Amino acid sequence: MILTLDFASDIPIYQQIRNAVVRAIADGQLQPGERLPTVRALAQEAGINSMTVNKAYQLLKQEGYITTDGRNGAAVGSGPGRAAAASARRQKLEEELKLIVAEAKVNGISLGELEQMIGKLY
């Protein structure tokens, strides 16, 4: 798994890892059931502390994006666990979108422009 981390960013490294995994799942680069690198392997590959990777994996597990198994490591989530977590994520996403819409309005971005931005990113 190739990650691009920005050590100068205000976004914590564990959050950057989390975001990269979510984007990879959304883009189809990671499929349900697919194994992720071990915490140690990813930490070594990225040149970071293994506790940072562990924190990212725990966050991803808590959010329902991945599952973990002591013997087999982490894998992209699938099945009922993922579906149950989706409802909570949907609510969180809606709250985040409310803020984005408000910021767009304050900055003079029209609904049409915002829809174009979202469409391009989607």
Side-chain angles (χ1 to χ4, degrees), residues 30 35-37 46-47 54 72 91 97 99-100 102 105 112 117 121:
L30 290 173
R35 296 266 166 233
L36 297 176
N54 189 54
N72 298 317
Q91 283 184 302
L97 282 172
L99 179 59
I100 290 170
K105 285 180 179 179
M117 286 181 199
L121 295 171

Side-chain angles (χ1 to χ4, degrees), residues 3-21:
L3 290 177
T4 303
L5 301 174
D6 182 357
F7 294 99
S9 173
D10 290 339
I11 300 170
I13 298 299
Y14 78 91
Q15 188 71 43
Q16 291 182 46
I17 295 168
R18 179 253 180 223
N19 294 347
V21 170

Side-chain angles (χ1 to χ4, degrees), residues 6-91:
D6 182 357
F7 294 99
S9 173
D10 290 339
I11 300 170
I13 298 299
Y14 78 91
Q15 188 71 43
Q16 291 182 46
I17 295 168
R18 179 253 180 223
N19 294 347
V21 170
V22 171
R23 281 192 297 271
I25 293 169
D27 293 343
Q29 295 171 355
L30 290 173
Q31 299 296 319
E34 186 173 340
R35 296 266 166 233
L36 297 176
T38 65
V39 168
R40 184 177 296 164
L42 185 55
Q44 192 170 25
E45 178 185 325
I48 57 176
N49 188 302
S50 61
M51 294 302 292
T52 303
V53 176
N54 189 54
K55 188 172 182 176
Y57 277 16
Q58 288 305 315
L59 181 58
L60 287 160
K61 179 181 178 181
Q62 179 183 356
E63 294 174 340
Y65 290 110
I66 67 170
T67 60
T68 58
D69 175 345
R71 287 185 284 179
N72 298 317
V76 176
S78 61
R82 186 170 179 179
S87 177
R89 285 195 310 268
R90 185 181 188 100
Q91 283 184 302

Side-chain angles (χ1 to χ4, degrees), residues 91-104:
Q91 283 184 302
K92 181 180 177 219
L93 181 60
E94 191 170 323
E95 289 302 314
E96 291 172 358
L97 282 172
K98 285 180 186 177
L99 179 59
I100 290 170
V101 168
E103 289 178 355

